[in-house]
Amino acid sequence: MAPVSLLLVGFLVMATATSDMVMEQKELVGLFEVLGSLVEDPTWAETHPLPCTDTPWPGVTCELGEDLIFHVTKIHIGPDILTPPCKGSANLSPALVKLPYLKTLSLFNCFTGSPVSLSRSLFGSLSSLEHLALVSNPSLFGEIPPSLTKVSSLRILCLSQNNLDGKIPKEIGGLVSLEQLDLSYNKLSGPLPEEIGGLRGLTILDLSWNGLQGQVPFSLGQLEFLQKIDLSSNHLQESVPSNLGALKRLVLLDMSHNSLSGPIPENLAGLDQLEYLMINDNPIKTGIPSFIGALRKLKVLGFSSCGLVGPILPSFSKLKNLTALSLENNSLNGTVPPDLGTLPNLDQLNLSQNQLSGELLLSEAFINRLGKRLDVKGNSGLCIRYNVSATFEQAPSCVDTGVPPGSNNRSWVEEHPNGDWENQKMKPAWYHGNTSPNTPRLDQKVKVYIASR
């Protein structure tokens, strides 16, 4: 905001004098300047003259230092802080440098009016900063500032759902304390730097929904603490690095909607903690990886639109935890393994738009239980022998030569050529809006939400 008026300066001096110096005047002025540049209420400083003690505000947290003086350690503005909201001209004040003890800065849906960019030098002096979350700010433009990569104390960096562009700085590998990195839903481009392998403590990596190019860096396989990798919806090419199979703690791997080629390395059989594997919409153009049956904890498996050929492997029957299987829009042939119908937790199965043939030997109870969550349309050689629920009219009778009355035998993909992606970006192609209440959905992405510590 504009420089603090002489009247307010006098007010601050009086406030600090009457409070036995519970805060340093410079730090208090800095706090008022930062909040003045963000929030709508111009009377905030007068209403909260002692924000660390007598007149606290929910968005500000202070801690008592070794010098027995309170210091501002957290500033948070988000949906849980209803008033005052960010103003239309909100910006990030250079006065942040007056808050050297700041550990957490989280601003959600704050920059929505005038364009805002991150100063190239602003963060360099924030040597105590551990958690930076600037999320859902449509007016936040520009590049990730180089000074941010020098804040070695950072543990959580979340710059998701903004309009940031440019490349991911190579210097980001110097953030040796980083545990969570989320740059999703921006306009970042260029390669994913090999230096990311320097983030040895990283547990969560989410770079989805950007324009990243080139190959997945081999150094990613060195990050042994990774539990989640989401690189979906970029322009990544070449093959998946084989050493990702060394990431023994990995629970989620999503590389959907890229240009990755096959084969999928057999080393991924070592991911024995993996629960979510999504490779949808990549030109893999091989058979289904033979190691899939070894991933016994898998809950969601997506290989749609990958150009897969050959049969559906019998080893799928080993995946007792599987809840959703998506193999549509490939060139798979042969019969449907009847053991798929014995998987106790399987609640969504999409085999549509392939070249499957023969009699569908899934049990009648299984077919009726899944209803529209079972999709086998678009397999001209597939037929069914017994009568099932009216909701399942997707395969002709093995006795009759014609298509059952009332069935148009069209796939969901044919009926929804845009796949609803424009309205719900994260909705998977196999989701029809009919799930049981206990089934995890890919549009929820099993997000590991970043929380303050």
Side-chain angles (χ1 to χ4, degrees), residues 209-248:
W209 290 94
N210 278 288
L212 299 175
Q213 303 158 338
Q215 64 187 73
V216 180
F218 191 78
S219 64
L220 206 57
Q222 302 170 7
L223 305 181
E224 59 180 319
F225 294 106
L226 274 175
Q227 299 174 29
K228 170 185 175 180
I229 298 176
D230 191 347
L231 303 178
S232 62
S233 300
N234 281 287
H235 305 299
L236 298 172
Q237 300 173 326
E238 300 189 28
S239 57
V240 177
S242 60
N243 67 340
L244 292 189
L247 302 179
K248 299 297 184 180

Side-chain angles (χ1 to χ4, degrees), residues 11-23 25 28 50:
F11 174 76
L12 293 171
V13 171
M14 183 173 62
T16 53
T18 58
S19 59
D20 295 325
M21 287 297 293
V22 294
M23 284 190 70
Q25 181 178 337
L28 186 59
L50 300 173

Side-chain angles (χ1 to χ4, degrees), residues 79-94:
D80 53 326
I81 306 295
L82 299 180
T83 56
C86 284
K87 56 188 178 183
S89 59
N91 64 86
L92 208 50
S93 171

Side-chain angles (χ1 to χ4, degrees), residues 262-285:
I264 303 296
E266 292 291 325
N267 304 52
L268 297 192
L271 301 178
D272 51 18
Q273 299 299 312
L274 199 64
E275 297 180 9
Y276 303 87
L277 176 60
M278 285 81 80
I279 312 289
N280 304 301
D281 193 20
N282 282 283
I284 303 300
K285 298 183 179 179

Side-chain angles (χ1 to χ4, degrees), residues 54-373:
D54 298 345
T55 54
W57 187 59
V60 174
T61 300
C62 305
E63 295 179 11
L64 191 63
E66 295 180 357
D67 54 4
L68 301 181
I69 295 178
F70 280 101
H71 300 288
V72 179
T73 57
K74 178 178 178 179
I75 297 176
H76 168 67
I77 298 177
D80 53 326
I81 306 295
L82 299 180
T83 56
C86 284
K87 56 188 178 183
S89 59
N91 64 86
L92 208 50
S93 171
L96 271 175
V97 300
K98 299 178 182 179
L99 305 176
Y101 299 91
L102 192 65
K103 295 180 181 179
T104 298
L105 177 62
S106 57
L107 306 175
F108 290 73
N109 197 34
C110 195
F111 307 124
T112 60
S114 303
V116 176
S117 61
L118 299 177
S119 167
R120 294 181 61 85
S121 59
L122 179 61
F123 296 98
S125 60
L126 298 179
S127 58
S128 299
L129 194 63
E130 298 178 0
H131 183 167
L132 177 62
L134 306 178
V135 180
S136 297
N137 296 289
S139 294
L140 185 58
F141 295 88
E143 299 183 349
I144 298 173
S147 63
L148 189 54
T149 64
K150 300 183 185 301
V151 186
S152 58
S153 55
L154 267 181
R155 295 187 300 107
I156 297 173
L157 176 57
C158 182
L159 303 177
S160 178
Q161 302 173 56
N162 300 304
N163 267 300
L164 298 174
D165 55 25
K167 297 180 179 180
I168 297 175
K170 294 181 179 181
E171 295 80 5
I172 203 167
L175 297 177
V176 293
S177 300
L178 205 62
E179 299 171 9
Q180 301 180 16
L181 176 60
D182 186 352
L183 306 178
S184 61
Y185 287 90
N186 279 289
K187 297 179 180 178
L188 301 173
S189 58
L192 182 54
E194 193 74 31
E195 288 79 1
I196 202 167
L199 305 177
R200 294 305 176 93
L202 204 64
T203 61
I204 294 174
L205 176 64
D206 191 344
L207 305 177
S208 60
W209 290 94
N210 278 288
L212 299 175
Q213 303 158 338
Q215 64 187 73
V216 180
F218 191 78
S219 64
L220 206 57
Q222 302 170 7
L223 305 181
E224 59 180 319
F225 294 106
L226 274 175
Q227 299 174 29
K228 170 185 175 180
I229 298 176
D230 191 347
L231 303 178
S232 62
S233 300
N234 281 287
H235 305 299
L236 298 172
Q237 300 173 326
E238 300 189 28
S239 57
V240 177
S242 60
N243 67 340
L244 292 189
L247 302 179
K248 299 297 184 180
R249 294 174 172 84
L250 203 61
V251 175
L252 183 147
L253 177 60
D254 190 348
M255 295 189 172
S256 302
H257 311 293
N258 280 288
S259 298
L260 299 171
S261 57
I264 303 296
E266 292 291 325
N267 304 52
L268 297 192
L271 301 178
D272 51 18
Q273 299 299 312
L274 199 64
E275 297 180 9
Y276 303 87
L277 176 60
M278 285 81 80
I279 312 289
N280 304 301
D281 193 20
N282 282 283
I284 303 300
K285 298 183 179 179
T286 64
I288 295 174
S290 60
F291 64 83
I292 289 296
L295 305 179
R296 301 300 177 88
K297 291 193 175 183
L298 270 185
K299 294 180 180 179
V300 174
L301 177 60
F303 270 112
S304 63
S305 303
C306 285
L308 297 180
V309 297
I312 298 176
L313 300 179
S315 59
F316 278 118
S317 63
K318 300 177 181 178
L319 304 178
K320 303 301 183 183
N321 293 304
L322 200 64
T323 62
L325 175 60
S326 175
L327 297 174
E328 77 270 17
N329 291 326
N330 286 295
S331 298
L332 297 171
N333 55 32
T335 59
V336 177
D339 286 349
L340 285 178
T342 67
L343 293 176
N345 297 299
L346 192 58
D347 192 62
Q348 299 179 25
L349 175 61
N350 195 334
L351 306 176
S352 64
Q353 302 302 307
N354 279 286
Q355 299 171 14
L356 300 170
S357 59
E359 183 177 350
L360 186 65
L361 295 177
L362 301 174
S363 72
E364 184 174 358
F366 177 81
I367 294 176
N368 286 330
R369 177 169 65 84
L370 264 64
K372 290 186 178 181
R373 299 190 303 277

